[in-house]
């Protein structure tokens, strides 16, 4: 195995600096960190994390719970998590939970048995079983996008979904739309409540009545978009604009609108949320909200490692900026 001395020679720094960079990267400059990590790659060096874990009582691993690995938005978050974790000497264990409590419980228990040092949750559920709930109170855990439901408060990294909902609504109203449909994702999540509250607030300000008939859906799947459009078009006064609570839903909506002979945006405007890569290549390209998913993942690792090292957090809530991307799927309301 290539030793640490070879890495120090390639990086032009001392062995102590190499060790410090691998164990506590926040203590060295970004330039030094880049030189050392490049040298580690060139040398093929693999730190002996097992020996370190015996000495420190840490596994140098973190668990990431993902409700659906197929979702490209989650993959962008995971990309940020993986990169930041590697830089800080941690390995990442991915748990594809499919939203099932028993899977969440199994993966989460790894932190309680010292097989992992902390946990990042990408869903809104509390991942520990009822039997483990008391033990889990002091577990280092961070949530991304969602807030973990219940009375327990854990740090979270999120978007201002309320403001994003308002921005989308202002955008559509500026085109003269007044008949809306909403195809939602998980209705029990805070994301749902915040985005819907943002939409409702602007409708109220503009004197447009909100009706429960506007709201359909209940999962973040392409099929939800297809079924949602079918349901909305049965209304006595079908919408001229449809909010979709993620891009997968919007992709399904675009497909079904075209299948039914409607033009987007000439007949119906459609908005998404997340800005997954394919959204820019749809026909028409999808108007959506860009979330800084990669940066969310990186920040989650930073916060989690602070918790693992029992360092005080300056704040427990971080709100990252969004950008409304206007593309071809939205336009003037049909006269």
């Amino acid at each position: 195995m290539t030793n640490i001395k070879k890495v120090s020679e390639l990086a032009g720094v001392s062995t102590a600096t190499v060790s410090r960079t691998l164990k506590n990267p926040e203590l060295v400059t970004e330039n030094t960190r880049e030189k050392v990590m490049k040298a580690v790659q060139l040398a093929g060096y693999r730190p002996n994390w097992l020996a370190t874990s015996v000495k420190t009582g840490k596994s140098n691993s973190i668990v990431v719970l993902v409700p659906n690995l197929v979702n490209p938005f989650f993959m962008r978050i995971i990309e940020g998590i993986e990169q930041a974790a590697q830089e800080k000497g941690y390995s990442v264990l991915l748990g594809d939970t499919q939203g099932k409590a028993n899977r969440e419980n199994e993966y989460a228990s790894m932190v309680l048995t010292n097989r992992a040092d902390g946990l990042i949750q990408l869903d809104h559920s509390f991942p520990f079983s009822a039997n483990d709930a008391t033990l889990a109170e002091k577990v280092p855990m961070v949530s991304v996008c969602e807030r973990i439901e219940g009375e327990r408060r854990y740090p979270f990294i999120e978007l201002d979904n309320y403001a994003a909902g308002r921005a989308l609504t202002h955008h559509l109203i500026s085109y003269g739309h007044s008949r809306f449909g909403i195809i939602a994702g998980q209705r029990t999540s805070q994301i749902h409540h915040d985005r819907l509250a943002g939409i409702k607030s602007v409708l109220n300000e503009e004197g447009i009545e909100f009706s429960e008939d506007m709201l359909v859906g209940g999962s973040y799947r392409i099929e939800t978009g297809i079924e949602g459009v079918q349901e909305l078009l049965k209304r006595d006064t079908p919408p001229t604009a449809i909010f979709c609570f993620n891009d997968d839903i919007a992709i399904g909506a675009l497909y079904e609108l075209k299948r039914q002979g409607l033009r987007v945006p000439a007949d119906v405007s459609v908005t998404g949320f997340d800005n997954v890569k394919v959204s820019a290549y749809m026909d028409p390209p999808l108007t959506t909200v860009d979330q800084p998913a990669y940066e969310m993942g990186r920040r989650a690792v930073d916060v989690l490692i602070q918790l693992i090292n029992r360092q005080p957090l300056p704040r427990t809530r971080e709100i990252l900026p969004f950008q409304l991307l206007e593309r071809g799927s939205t336009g003037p309301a049909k006269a």
Side-chain angles (χ1 to χ4, degrees):
M1 180 183 287
T2 306
N3 62 30
I4 199 168
K5 190 170 185 298
K6 178 66 174 176
V7 175
S8 72
E9 290 172 356
L10 287 170
V13 298
S14 67
T15 55
T17 298
V18 173
S19 180
R20 188 180 303 113
T21 303
L22 296 174
K23 292 178 181 177
N24 301 103
E26 68 278 3
L27 298 181
V28 300
T29 65
E30 185 177 351
N31 182 50
T32 298
R33 188 161 60 242
E34 287 178 359
K35 286 195 297 185
V36 170
M37 295 310 295
K38 186 176 181 181
V40 164
Q41 240 180 349
L42 289 172
Y45 177 63
R46 295 294 179 271
N48 190 345
W49 299 121
L50 180 60
T52 302
S53 69
V54 171
K55 293 177 183 177
T56 65
K58 292 182 179 179
S59 67
N60 287 101
S61 298
I62 59 176
V63 176
V64 179
L65 302 185
V66 192
N68 183 1
L69 270 176
V70 176
N71 189 317
F73 174 66
F74 289 137
M75 293 310 297
R76 285 169 55 210
I77 296 175
I78 291 167
E79 186 181 358
I81 290 172
E82 288 272 10
Q83 183 61 39
Q86 183 185 43
E87 290 172 6
K88 295 178 182 296
Y90 280 78
S91 57
V92 175
L93 307 172
L94 285 180
D96 185 5
T97 67
Q98 294 296 308
K100 295 179 180 177
N102 62 327
R103 287 194 182 192
E104 286 191 332
N105 298 166
E106 187 177 341
Y107 284 118
S109 69
M110 295 179 71
V111 186
L112 300 177
T113 54
N114 295 325
R115 287 177 289 168
D117 300 329
L119 187 152
I120 296 175
Q121 169 66 303
L122 303 190
D123 208 346
H124 65 282
S125 55
F126 180 68
F128 293 92
S129 67
N131 291 335
D132 291 339
T134 303
L135 285 173
E137 287 181 0
K138 295 184 179 179
V139 163
M141 181 161 62
V142 178
S143 62
V144 184
C145 303
E146 298 275 11
R147 300 179 211 171
I148 295 173
E149 60 190 3
E151 296 180 358
R152 301 173 184 84
R153 291 290 175 262
Y154 295 93
F156 55 95
I157 317 293
E158 68 170 357
L159 200 76
D160 190 337
N161 286 284
Y162 177 83
R166 285 182 59 84
L168 284 168
T169 312
H170 278 303
H171 169 68
L172 290 173
I173 287 176
S174 74
Y175 273 128
H177 292 281
S178 59
R179 301 202 318 266
F180 298 99
I182 302 166
I183 308 179
Q186 292 177 327
R187 298 202 194 187
T188 56
S189 75
Q190 189 63 44
I191 280 178
H192 170 81
H193 296 306
D194 289 348
R195 290 178 189 173
L196 184 58
I199 293 170
K200 284 181 175 180
S201 69
V202 176
L203 295 182
N204 182 61
E205 291 166 8
E206 297 292 332
I208 300 171
E209 184 181 354
F210 172 81
S211 166
E212 288 298 330
D213 279 353
M214 294 181 184
L215 184 62
V216 298
S219 69
Y220 292 109
R221 301 178 302 124
I222 290 175
E223 292 79 6
T224 303
I226 295 172
E227 295 159 5
V229 165
Q230 291 170 353
E231 195 171 343
L232 288 169
L233 293 183
K234 291 176 184 176
R235 302 288 189 258
D236 292 336
T237 52
T240 63
I242 299 174
F243 298 97
C244 298
F245 276 16
N246 83 342
D247 287 348
D248 274 3
I249 294 173
I251 289 167
L254 290 174
Y255 168 84
E256 184 60 20
L257 287 165
K258 285 189 176 183
R259 194 186 72 81
Q260 297 213 24
L262 294 170
R263 299 164 299 163
V264 179
D267 296 318
V268 184
S269 286
V270 176
T271 65
F273 210 107
D274 290 343
N275 190 32
V276 300
K277 191 171 184 179
V278 71
S279 67
Y281 302 97
M282 299 301 298
D283 182 22
L286 183 64
T287 294
T288 189
V289 168
D290 179 48
Q291 296 200 65
Y294 179 83
E295 184 59 29
M296 284 177 161
R298 290 192 63 91
R299 287 299 303 139
V301 171
D302 291 342
V303 172
L304 184 63
I305 291 177
Q306 283 182 275
L307 291 175
I308 290 169
N309 294 331
R310 299 182 180 178
Q311 297 171 344
L313 296 177
R315 56 190 177 278
T316 58
R317 180 189 186 194
E318 291 199 29
I319 304 174
L320 298 188
F322 69 86
Q323 184 180 3
L324 175 59
L325 301 177
E326 181 178 356
R327 298 184 180 131
S329 68
T330 53
K334 190 175 181 180

